[in-house]
Amino acid sequence: METLRDIVEALIRLFQREVHERAVLVPLDDVHEIKSPPSLILQGPALAENRCRRVQAFEVCKDLDRLTYERWPAPRLYHLDFDIVATTANDAQLLDLQAKITRFYLDHPVLAIEDRGALNLTELVPMGSLRRVNLSNLKQSAGRLRIEDCPIYGNAVEEGRLIVDRHFEFRGGLVEDRRFTSQPEESP
């Protein structure tokens, strides 16, 4: 499944719509040059498994029309951490962009994913609280955000047929055979 990519793309689109139209995603530890301020960079994601929520159960999907099923292990849940770097030409623009990002967290406590539900958005480090090396004459501010419990599925899928007819034989003091089918038996 393309869950990770869909979630990251949804986050970038939301930032572009609500905070800054030229917000971009940059891989971790990648060098990125700011051509023209103001700019907004999301660096990441850094994945961290939520081990407390790991389960050994399976998810099952039944197709009753074809009388088949598919079964796969439950997904592992990962937190996706992004560093947010805002760059502007002057202090006033930087403060405005910081306020816009702070309002973003208040207005969007969850990230809605089309046809898949929603995931929690959490501000880990407020804008301006994350230390960064700034080698330019531009004004910068950084913070960190987290998307919680992003599901990552494996490729192991088991397929099989559903049980339609059951035949039970009871032995011992009572000898009785019964046949259970998907069609109800008629009474004599």
Side-chain angles (χ1 to χ4, degrees):
M1 293 188 172
E2 297 291 330
T3 308
L4 180 63
R5 181 177 177 177
D6 294 341
I7 291 169
V8 172
E9 287 176 352
L11 177 68
I12 296 300
R13 282 192 301 270
L14 185 61
F15 259 91
Q16 288 172 341
R17 189 173 62 245
E18 299 290 328
V19 180
H20 192 274
E21 66 277 353
R22 291 183 295 158
V24 294
L25 177 69
V26 176
L28 284 173
D29 300 326
D30 206 19
V31 176
H32 184 76
E33 182 181 352
I34 305 301
K35 303 275 188 211
S36 61
S39 75
L40 187 66
I41 297 173
L42 281 85
Q43 282 189 313
L47 277 69
E49 184 181 2
N50 187 352
R51 292 178 183 230
C52 296
R53 297 200 51 203
R54 186 188 290 186
V55 296
Q56 299 300 319
F58 288 87
E59 292 183 2
V60 178
C61 179
K62 295 187 279 188
D63 183 352
L64 297 177
D65 294 334
R66 293 180 31 223
L67 294 174
T68 60
Y69 73 92
E70 288 184 342
R71 180 177 97 147
W72 56 89
R76 293 214 177 154
L77 302 176
Y78 288 87
H79 298 314
L80 309 179
D81 293 345
F82 295 86
D83 285 351
I84 303 171
V85 182
T87 305
T88 62
N90 59 53
D91 293 330
Q93 285 180 338
L94 185 62
L95 290 172
D96 290 342
L97 193 52
Q98 282 180 295
K100 207 170 191 182
I101 293 168
T102 303
R103 278 193 304 273
F104 173 83
Y105 293 121
L106 295 172
D107 295 340
H108 301 283
V110 295
L111 174 65
I113 312 298
E114 286 185 24
D115 303 329
R116 296 182 191 231
L119 298 172
N120 291 337
L121 275 178
T122 305
E123 180 182 33
L124 291 181
V125 178
M127 287 302 291
S129 300
L130 192 62
R131 299 281 182 222
R132 289 191 49 81
V133 175
N134 185 359
L135 301 175
S136 69
N137 290 330
L138 300 173
K139 306 300 179 194
Q140 286 189 333
S141 177
R144 185 169 290 142
L145 98 95
R146 169 176 280 177
I147 298 174
E148 296 180 0
D149 296 333
C150 171
I152 306 290
Y153 289 86
N155 291 327
V157 176
E158 174 187 314
E159 297 179 359
R161 303 219 21 99
L162 291 173
I163 296 173
V164 179
D165 297 327
R166 295 159 306 279
H167 186 188
F168 296 91
E169 295 181 9
F170 302 95
R171 302 285 180 221
L174 173 69
V175 178
E176 179 181 337
D177 289 348
R178 285 197 181 175
R179 180 175 290 279
F180 298 95
T181 64
S182 57
Q183 306 300 326
E185 291 184 17
E186 294 182 20
S187 316

